[in-house]
């Protein structure tokens, strides 16, 4: 049983929801909702599920979906910027969209693009699309990305956000066993304060931090 929040480390956590598969806790300090460790999948199980994700870079529907993070990021960064797509997945697509727009991209993915040297570089922008909901240690990861961002750089995150307990209990998003960290507006505001960054909610599930 997890007795502290994986984002802010607070012990001020309580039972938020329970379904027939898992138990969900919520932190009273940063409002992260998270699945306790005993329900986390093994790496093998997790990868098996990701291998099933059929996101293809020539699928217009998928590109349309990604445009909700691509467009607001692309409008903020300078021409020919250098970016990192963190959690690029089995069929990198967002990075292709940035490359087509004239930017240079590096990729990182825990299963599909494991070159850790990407964290030794400094980027004008970093994207994490449909990634943070999979993180066991969200703060550690976000901090690592923040360090790789140049001053004035942008970090764009896309994840579906928690509204309230009622909506959460009926939410399709939580039936995916690889989803273990659920963020809300308040959670991102806590992160912004903590890393001393301005943030902008540019879509219902997209937030952009500026360093
Ligand atoms: Zn917390």
């Amino acid at each position: 049983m997890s007795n502290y929040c994986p984002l802010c480390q607070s012990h001020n956590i309580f039972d938020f929801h329970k379904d027939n598969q898992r138990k969900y806790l919520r932190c009273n300090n940063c409002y992260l909702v998270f699945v306790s460790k005993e329900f986390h999948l093994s790496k093998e199980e997790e990868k098996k599920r990701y291998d099933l994700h059929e996101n293809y870079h020539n699928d217009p529907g998928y590109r349309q979906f990604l445009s909700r993070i691509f467009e607001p990021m692309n409008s903020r960064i300078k021409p020919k910027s250098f970016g990192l797509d963190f959690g690029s997945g089995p069929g990198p697509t967002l990075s292709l969209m940035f490359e087509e727009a004239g930017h240079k991209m590096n990729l990182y993915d825990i299963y599909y693009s494991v070159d850790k040297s990407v964290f030794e570089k400094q980027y004008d922008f970093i994207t994490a699309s449909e990634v943070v909901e999979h993180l066991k240690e969200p703060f550690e990861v976000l901090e690592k990305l923040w360090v790789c961002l140049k001053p004035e750089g942008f970090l764009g995150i896309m994840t579906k956000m928690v509204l309230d307990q009622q909506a959460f209990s009926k939410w399709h998003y939580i039936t995916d066993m690889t989803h273990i960290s659920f963020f809300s507006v308040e959670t991102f505001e806590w992160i912004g304060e903590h890393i001393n960054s301005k943030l902008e909610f540019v879509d219902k599930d997209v937030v952009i931090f500026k360093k």
Side-chain angles (χ1 to χ4, degrees):
M1 164 102 191
S2 312
N3 58 0
Y4 65 91
C5 169
L7 180 62
C8 75
Q9 319 291 315
S10 167
H11 290 274
N12 188 5
I13 55 176
F14 67 97
D15 292 335
F16 185 69
H17 180 63
K18 189 177 185 293
D19 58 23
N20 55 13
Q21 307 203 82
R22 307 185 294 180
K23 258 174 66 185
Y24 307 82
L25 303 162
R26 187 172 207 178
C27 172
N28 260 334
N29 184 44
C30 73
Y31 300 101
L32 182 79
V33 176
F34 58 100
V35 172
S36 52
K37 287 195 183 86
E38 68 263 36
F39 301 106
H40 291 181
L41 299 177
S42 68
K43 277 199 138 187
E44 293 73 27
E45 288 169 322
E46 200 179 40
K47 175 155 191 304
K48 231 186 258 171
R49 309 232 176 179
Y50 294 149
D51 287 341
L52 299 172
H53 280 207
E54 290 183 357
N55 295 332
Y56 295 114
H57 53 81
N58 50 5
D59 172 355
Y62 186 47
R63 281 178 171 248
Q64 184 63 33
F65 168 75
L66 291 174
S67 69
R68 292 191 296 114
I69 184 166
F70 169 76
E71 293 292 347
M73 287 295 282
N74 193 42
S75 71
R76 281 165 178 76
I77 56 182
K78 295 191 180 106
K80 298 187 177 176
S81 283
F82 181 36
L84 170 67
D85 186 31
F86 178 81
S88 44
T93 305
L94 184 57
S95 57
L96 278 184
M97 292 165 72
F98 281 111
E99 281 171 354
E100 287 162 5
H103 307 293
K104 183 174 181 267
M105 295 299 291
N106 273 184
L107 303 180
Y108 181 80
D109 191 282
I110 186 177
Y111 297 116
Y112 304 102
S113 186
V114 283
D115 176 9
K116 287 190 176 157
S117 72
V118 298
F119 299 115
E120 289 156 19
K121 300 174 194 169
Q122 290 279 298
Y123 300 93
D124 301 308
F125 70 102
I126 298 176
T127 51
S129 164
E130 301 286 298
V131 174
V132 295
E133 63 273 18
H134 301 289
L135 299 177
K136 291 182 176 74
E137 285 153 340
F139 195 72
E140 213 179 286
V141 173
L142 291 171
E143 238 181 358
K144 181 152 109 176
L145 296 180
W146 197 243
V147 168
C148 297
L149 201 58
K150 291 181 193 169
E152 312 275 295
F154 294 97
L155 168 64
I157 295 175
M158 177 147 81
T159 187
K160 297 216 185 317
M161 294 188 210
V162 177
L163 298 173
D164 56 38
Q165 220 158 356
Q166 171 77 10
F168 190 88
S169 67
K170 296 174 185 153
W171 205 16
H172 181 68
Y173 210 51
I174 66 174
T175 61
D176 183 331
M177 296 287 280
T178 66
H179 292 175
I180 54 175
S181 291
F182 305 94
F183 296 68
S184 60
V185 167
E186 292 83 354
T187 314
F188 285 118
E189 283 169 348
W190 181 89
I191 293 169
E193 262 175 52
H194 213 79
I195 58 178
N196 196 21
S197 158
K198 290 191 200 104
L199 68 165
E200 241 186 297
F201 294 93
V202 295
D203 202 322
K204 63 182 193 309
D205 47 13
V206 181
V207 57
I208 297 178
F209 293 90
K210 186 176 184 188
K211 192 162 179 176

